[in-house]
Amino acid sequence: MTTTWDEAFANRYEEWSARMTADVAFYVDLAREADGPLVELAIGNGRVAIPVAQATGRRVVGLDSSPAMLEEARTRAAESGVDLDLRKGDMRDLALDEPAALIYCPFRALLHLPTWADRRRTFERVAASLRPDGRFAWNAFACDHRIAARLDGVHQQEPVPHTIRYSVGDNRIDTVLADGATSSLWWATKNEWLGLLDVAGLEVEALYGGFAHEPFADDSREYVFVARLRRDLP
């Protein structure tokens, strides 16, 4: 991913992600249930991977395209006494030494992929990298036009000074920090996620509306997916 992430954004990532805490226990629980290798896509600064490694006593393979984020994760892991297997790479080219029992992608990071084709390629690589009983889990926001209308172009001070701009024709959201650092997301619908699973040979095990396993409903603002390989495939 070369066009969706400004390395300067990494300098404020810890502050930016500080409010996102509810997902950690969710992914930790999935990791505890997994009997085999654990892999995090877009590991960032290790915010989730470090607790997963601590809770399971296992090394987590962490992939990220950002050298600055990987350095943050390396520092935080060392401070926490955790051994992460950090790898610089593109999730669209995921290749593992051995199939994983759990691959997960927290904090809406799949939305950094700009096109449906990029996501399809990622999902296909995930499917090819899973054990037969392995799981793939991720979360992404459900775009709410009412929130978009309220926030578009408005400068905000929290969690760090930033402005959010919506490009409706491209399904794109640009988050621009005060120093100009930019991170872009492309939102997706429920049917797009289901289509990606289908073409990759995966199926939904669970779809929640939140990290406390809330049922997904018409007013849910978060997709929390757990998927697995389709059982009807040879």
Side-chain angles (χ1 to χ4, degrees), residues 16 22 104 113 115 138 149 151 162 164 205 207 218 223 226:
W16 183 260
Y104 65 97
L113 296 167
T115 70
W138 77 95
L151 297 181
H162 70 282
I164 294 177
E205 179 179 308
L207 169 57
D218 287 346
Y223 303 108
V226 181

Side-chain angles (χ1 to χ4, degrees), residues 78-154:
E79 292 171 349
S80 302
V82 165
D83 184 20
L84 300 179
D85 182 356
L86 298 172
R87 305 180 184 182
K88 182 181 181 299
D90 190 320
M91 67 176 77
R92 293 170 293 191
D93 299 322
L94 176 67
L96 302 176
D97 303 326
E98 60 177 313
L102 173 67
I103 300 174
Y104 65 97
C105 187
F107 205 16
R108 307 162 179 165
L110 286 172
L111 298 182
H112 287 299
L113 296 167
T115 70
W116 195 88
D118 290 319
R119 292 175 190 166
R120 173 177 180 168
R121 181 172 161 186
T122 300
F123 275 53
E124 289 173 339
R125 291 310 311 150
V126 166
S129 301
L130 282 174
R131 291 185 173 190
D133 59 347
R135 286 165 152 175
F136 176 37
W138 77 95
N139 65 285
F141 64 78
C143 188
D144 188 324
H145 63 282
R146 294 162 295 190
I147 295 175
R150 187 172 74 246
L151 297 181
D152 186 25
V154 176

Side-chain angles (χ1 to χ4, degrees), residues 24-117:
V24 174
F26 179 83
Y27 290 112
V28 164
D29 286 345
L30 288 177
R32 283 180 169 140
E33 295 171 3
D35 183 17
L38 306 171
V39 178
E40 181 172 331
L41 304 181
I43 193 171
N45 65 0
R47 179 186 64 86
V48 178
I50 291 170
V52 165
Q54 290 171 327
T56 62
R58 284 179 279 160
R59 172 184 285 193
V60 178
V61 174
L63 187 73
D64 207 292
S65 63
S66 165
M69 290 274 66
L70 289 170
E71 189 57 36
E72 288 278 342
R74 189 170 291 108
T75 299
R76 287 167 58 97
E79 292 171 349
S80 302
V82 165
D83 184 20
L84 300 179
D85 182 356
L86 298 172
R87 305 180 184 182
K88 182 181 181 299
D90 190 320
M91 67 176 77
R92 293 170 293 191
D93 299 322
L94 176 67
L96 302 176
D97 303 326
E98 60 177 313
L102 173 67
I103 300 174
Y104 65 97
C105 187
F107 205 16
R108 307 162 179 165
L110 286 172
L111 298 182
H112 287 299
L113 296 167
T115 70
W116 195 88

